[in-house]
């Protein structure tokens, strides 16, 4: 008989079903998956050799866990993925508020029901997806919310005195018995509320308005915390920290390839955008490099962190910028242009916390500078390095491109309204640039080639080989003295 077809306690006993604690479930299913070489935490990248092994060790040790890290480091996602390590179904007594195990009841309701109905006690099967509870710690959370309180309405309806434990209304934690319970941003929880968790974590008993209830709750606690909160908003009280078995430090992606994988996985790309917008690999690299630059920037608060959500939102903005441009110009196909990166600035300014110096500079200027720095950082990975100090008269591979701008009869402009063909034709005018790309990046495909051409122009501006001026309709490139002469 399939377990889900068992409807009474008597049938459950005959089936030979054995109860086990949630921590044993997690441990045994983890061992099974590891032995079969199955990926346990799918969709989490960059943690294969750091966070995930520590998390697996904590589960094998049957510990409650604290995931400590800055914003956007997949802490909550890791906790939610632990649900996949639970048994698919567990039996629960029908009508139980705290998911009583029919073979090991702990509430007064469950014990009295079994005493009254015996083997005819009705049960149902709870799926593992229902065994996850989550609470965001906010200053207004009360003990009644998470532990419970006396319910005067229940007392009146049942005609019971307040001295009867049947008038208790259970809070979130007792109702999450036999579940994974996550408290996000634990330091934001007031100290007196954290104190209320002591006995639940260690001894399993709870107190509600003077009622001392011995409820050996069977739970897997996962807490998340941000190190910034320890100084700005609160802290984890020491005795509670002592009762949490494992504290695991999370981190941001350590390389661009991992960051790209996360962004592509998480970005909400509309099917229409996928079909007609081509995204060069260099554009993806550049976007991730901008985020890496933000994490190193002196203008951005490092303690606050720069979330992985920045690159996800920025990538979505980048696609939408190209889509809007194509809709206006009437192009059925388009590719990402470097000038489209102006469209990601709102995603950057909304996701970073600036220090005082950054506020003085202005969020928009800081965001623009991050794009410029990213271009400058990536450029030597593709083309010969441009030295800061060059001997006078020394020839470089960039002389041909710079000379073209010196000798150009008219201003070179890349306008926002250009169609795809106009954009390509304009870049193709710079013959030395075409030769330069073919020599140094001979295997580049068509979409990447045009983005690379614009990338070279922007980089030469950053290395003071050319000058650039942004205006409402687009971008103008000149020789390095062009902007100086035009300003006279």
């Amino acid at each position: 008989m399939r377990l889900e077809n068992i409807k009474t306690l008597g049938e459950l006993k005959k089936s030979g079903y054995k109860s086990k604690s949630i921590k044993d479930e997690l441990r045994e299913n983890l061992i099974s998956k590891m032995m079969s070489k199955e990926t346990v935490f799918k969709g989490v990248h960059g943690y294969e050799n750091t966070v995930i092994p520590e998390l697996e060790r904590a589960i094998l040790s049957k510990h409650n866990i604290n995931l400590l890290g800055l914003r956007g480091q997949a802490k909550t996602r890791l906790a939610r993925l632990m649900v996949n390590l639970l048994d698919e179904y567990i039996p629960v007594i029908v009508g139980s508020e705290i998911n009583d195990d029919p073979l090991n009841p702990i509430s007064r309701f469950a014990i009295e029901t079994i005493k009254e109905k015996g083997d005819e006690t009705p049960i149902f099967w709870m799926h593992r997806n229902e065994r996850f509870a989550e609470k965001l710690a906010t200053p207004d959370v009360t003990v009644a919310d998470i532990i419970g309180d006396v319910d005067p309405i229940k007392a009146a309806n049942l005609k019971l005195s307040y001295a009867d434990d049947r008038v208790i209304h259970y809070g979130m934690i007792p109702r999450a018995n036999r579940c994974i319970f996550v408290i996000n941003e634990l330091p934001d929880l007031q100290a007196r509320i954290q104190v209320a968790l002591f006995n639940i974590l260690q001894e399993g008993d709870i107190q509600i308005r003077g009622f001392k209830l011995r409820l050996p709750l069977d739970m897997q606690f996962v807490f998340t915390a941000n190190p910034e909160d320890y100084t700005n908003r609160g802290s984890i009280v020491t005795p509670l920290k002592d009762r949490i078995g494992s504290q695991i430090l999370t981190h941001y992606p350590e390389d661009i390839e991992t960051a790209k994988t996360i962004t592509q996985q998480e970005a909400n790309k509309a099917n229409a955008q996928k079909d007609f917008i081509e995204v060069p690999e260099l554009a993806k690299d550049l976007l991730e490099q901008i985020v890496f630059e933000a994490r190193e920037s002196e203008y951005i608060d490092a303690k606050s962190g720069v979330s992985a959500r920045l690159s996800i939102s920025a990538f979505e903005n980048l696609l939408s910028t190209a889509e809007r441009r194509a809709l206006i110009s009437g192009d059925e196909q388009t590719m990402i242009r470097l000038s489209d990166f102006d469209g990601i600035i709102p995603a950057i300014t909304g996701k970073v916390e600036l220090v005082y110096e950054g506020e003085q500079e202005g969020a928009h200027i800081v965001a623009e500078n991050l794009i410029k720095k990213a271009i400058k950082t990536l450029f030597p990975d593709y083309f010969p390095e441009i030295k800061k100090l060059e001997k006078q008269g020394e020839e470089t591979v960039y002389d041909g491109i710079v000379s073209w701008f010196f000798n150009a009869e008219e201003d070179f402009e890349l306008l926002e309204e250009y169609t795809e063909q106009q954009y390509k034709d304009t870049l193709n005018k710079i013959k030395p640039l075409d030769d330069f790309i073919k020599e140094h990046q001979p295997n580049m495909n068509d979409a990447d080639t045009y983005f690379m051409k614009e990338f070279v122009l922007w980089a030469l501006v950053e290395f003071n080989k050319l000058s650039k001026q942004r205006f409402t309709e687009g971008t103008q490139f000149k020789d390095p003295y062009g902007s100086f002469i035009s300003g006279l």
Side-chain angles (χ1 to χ4, degrees):
M1 181 185 289
R2 286 174 58 85
L3 287 176
E4 302 93 282
N5 295 331
I6 296 171
K7 302 297 182 186
T8 65
L9 176 57
E11 290 174 358
L12 184 68
K13 289 176 180 175
K14 286 178 186 174
S15 73
Y17 178 86
K18 287 185 171 56
S19 296
K20 53 188 172 185
S21 72
I22 186 171
K23 287 186 167 69
D24 284 327
E25 278 181 59
L26 291 166
R27 174 184 160 80
E28 289 173 18
N29 291 326
L30 174 61
I31 290 170
S32 174
K33 285 180 182 287
M34 290 178 74
M35 290 179 71
S36 61
K37 307 296 182 187
E38 190 178 335
T39 303
V40 179
F41 295 95
K42 291 179 182 174
V44 177
H45 305 282
Y47 285 173
E48 293 81 1
N49 301 314
T50 52
V51 175
I52 289 175
E54 291 189 3
L55 187 54
E56 289 173 344
R57 283 193 285 270
I59 293 169
L60 292 172
S61 301
K62 299 198 280 191
H63 284 173
N64 292 313
I65 298 162
N66 182 28
L67 296 170
L68 182 64
L70 296 172
R71 64 176 81 172
Q73 291 185 349
K75 300 187 293 296
T76 305
R77 169 164 291 195
L78 286 170
R80 288 176 178 166
L81 287 172
M82 285 175 64
V83 170
N84 297 326
L85 293 174
L86 296 171
D87 290 346
E88 189 172 8
Y89 290 97
I90 58 166
V92 177
I93 293 175
V94 172
S96 169
E97 291 183 84
I98 61 171
N99 306 322
D100 275 288
D101 182 348
L103 300 177
N104 185 27
I106 60 173
S107 72
R108 176 167 172 166
F109 166 82
I111 293 167
E112 289 185 350
T113 301
I114 291 174
K115 186 186 267 188
E116 179 189 337
K117 298 182 179 179
D119 286 350
E120 294 304 310
T121 301
I123 66 171
F124 74 95
W125 293 86
M126 178 185 277
H127 192 264
R128 60 180 162 223
N129 289 342
E130 299 175 69
R131 298 175 63 195
F132 180 87
E134 189 175 357
K135 178 63 181 166
L136 176 63
T138 53
D140 62 332
V141 173
T142 65
V143 173
D145 293 334
I146 61 169
I147 308 296
D149 204 349
V150 170
D151 186 346
I153 297 173
K154 188 184 282 189
N157 288 341
L158 297 174
K159 295 183 171 57
L160 297 170
S161 77
Y162 286 174
D164 194 307
D165 63 1
R166 284 173 290 180
V167 303
I168 289 173
H169 171 79
Y170 291 113
M172 288 188 72
I173 290 177
R175 287 175 182 274
N177 183 38
R178 303 172 75 199
C179 298
I180 296 171
F181 191 85
V182 178
I183 297 182
N184 283 314
E185 309 302 342
L186 180 60
D188 282 352
L189 210 59
Q190 291 182 42
R192 63 187 181 83
I193 314 297
Q194 293 185 39
V195 169
L197 298 174
F198 289 179
N199 276 19
I200 294 176
L201 284 175
Q202 199 67 39
E203 288 84 21
D205 56 14
I206 59 175
Q207 284 192 18
I208 299 174
R209 295 281 182 179
F211 289 103
K212 184 170 171 58
L213 302 175
R214 181 62 183 163
L215 282 180
L217 297 174
D218 177 26
M219 302 182 69
Q220 171 67 52
F221 280 97
V222 180
F223 305 100
T224 73
N226 188 324
E228 180 199 13
D229 297 339
Y230 282 81
T231 52
N232 285 7
R233 299 202 291 268
S235 62
I236 302 175
V237 297
T238 308
L240 177 60
K241 199 173 179 183
D242 184 53
R243 285 166 166 78
I244 301 171
S246 291
Q247 179 169 281
I248 298 169
L249 300 178
T250 57
H251 58 81
Y252 288 122
E254 294 173 347
D255 57 78
I256 282 181
E257 286 305 314
T258 303
K260 275 201 301 186
T261 302
I262 295 169
T263 302
Q264 298 306 306
Q265 174 183 284
E266 299 299 316
N268 180 26
K269 292 184 288 185
N271 287 331
Q273 288 180 328
K274 286 181 190 174
D275 293 339
F276 82 96
I277 301 174
E278 195 155 357
V279 186
E281 211 56 37
L282 174 57
K284 296 176 185 176
D285 289 349
L286 181 59
L287 186 134
E288 300 302 340
Q289 186 60 43
I290 290 166
V291 180
F292 277 63
E293 296 291 345
R295 289 178 187 141
E296 299 294 325
S297 173
E298 60 186 329
Y299 296 119
I300 293 171
D301 187 1
K303 291 179 184 175
S304 180
V306 178
S307 168
R309 298 183 195 98
L310 192 158
S311 51
I312 296 162
S313 297
F315 185 69
E316 290 167 350
N317 265 17
L318 188 62
L319 291 174
S320 297
T321 305
E323 182 181 27
R324 180 180 179 277
R325 172 173 46 72
L327 289 169
I328 292 170
S329 63
D331 284 322
E332 293 182 0
Q333 293 283 327
T334 190
M335 64 184 79
I336 296 294
R337 303 175 188 175
L338 214 158
S339 53
D340 293 335
F341 273 76
D342 277 355
I344 74 170
I345 289 176
I348 298 173
T349 55
K351 290 281 193 298
V352 297
E353 297 287 335
L354 301 179
V355 295
Y356 176 75
E357 292 81 357
E359 297 285 0
Q360 295 297 103
E361 284 285 319
H364 198 279
I365 300 296
V366 170
E368 284 183 339
N369 288 338
L370 292 176
I371 297 171
K372 292 174 182 178
K373 279 189 175 181
I375 291 169
K376 205 169 180 180
T377 300
L378 284 185
F379 188 72
D381 293 344
Y382 295 88
F383 300 105
E385 183 183 359
I386 298 177
K387 297 174 183 175
K388 285 184 180 179
L389 297 174
E390 292 175 352
K391 294 176 184 175
Q392 194 169 4
E394 183 181 356
E395 289 187 7
T396 72
V397 292
Y398 302 101
D399 289 349
I401 301 170
V402 176
S403 296
W404 187 92
F405 282 91
F406 264 115
N407 301 320
E409 295 179 0
E410 56 184 24
D411 292 336
F412 180 84
E413 296 177 344
L414 287 172
L415 303 183
E416 300 285 348
E417 64 185 25
Y418 275 171
T419 64
E420 204 63 21
Q421 195 56 52
Q422 286 174 316
Y423 172 72
K424 290 179 179 179
D425 290 344
T426 305
L427 283 170
N428 286 338
K429 287 179 184 177
I430 313 174
K431 189 68 174 72
L433 179 58
D434 206 31
D435 297 337
F436 178 79
I437 297 287
K438 285 176 182 174
E439 180 183 349
H440 294 282
Q441 294 292 333
N443 301 318
M444 193 73 54
N445 63 37
D446 187 58
D448 287 19
T449 297
Y450 286 98
F451 186 86
M452 188 69 80
K453 284 181 178 182
E454 199 178 352
F455 175 71
V456 170
L457 296 182
W458 282 59
L460 290 179
V461 171
E462 294 312 306
F463 286 102
N464 301 316
K465 293 280 187 182
L466 294 176
S467 63
K468 173 172 68 71
Q469 185 178 350
R470 287 287 288 163
F471 54 98
T472 309
E473 291 81 15
T475 308
Q476 184 183 79
F477 291 91
K478 295 182 178 182
D479 64 78
Y481 308 105
S483 56
F484 173 72
I485 293 168
S486 61
L488 291 177

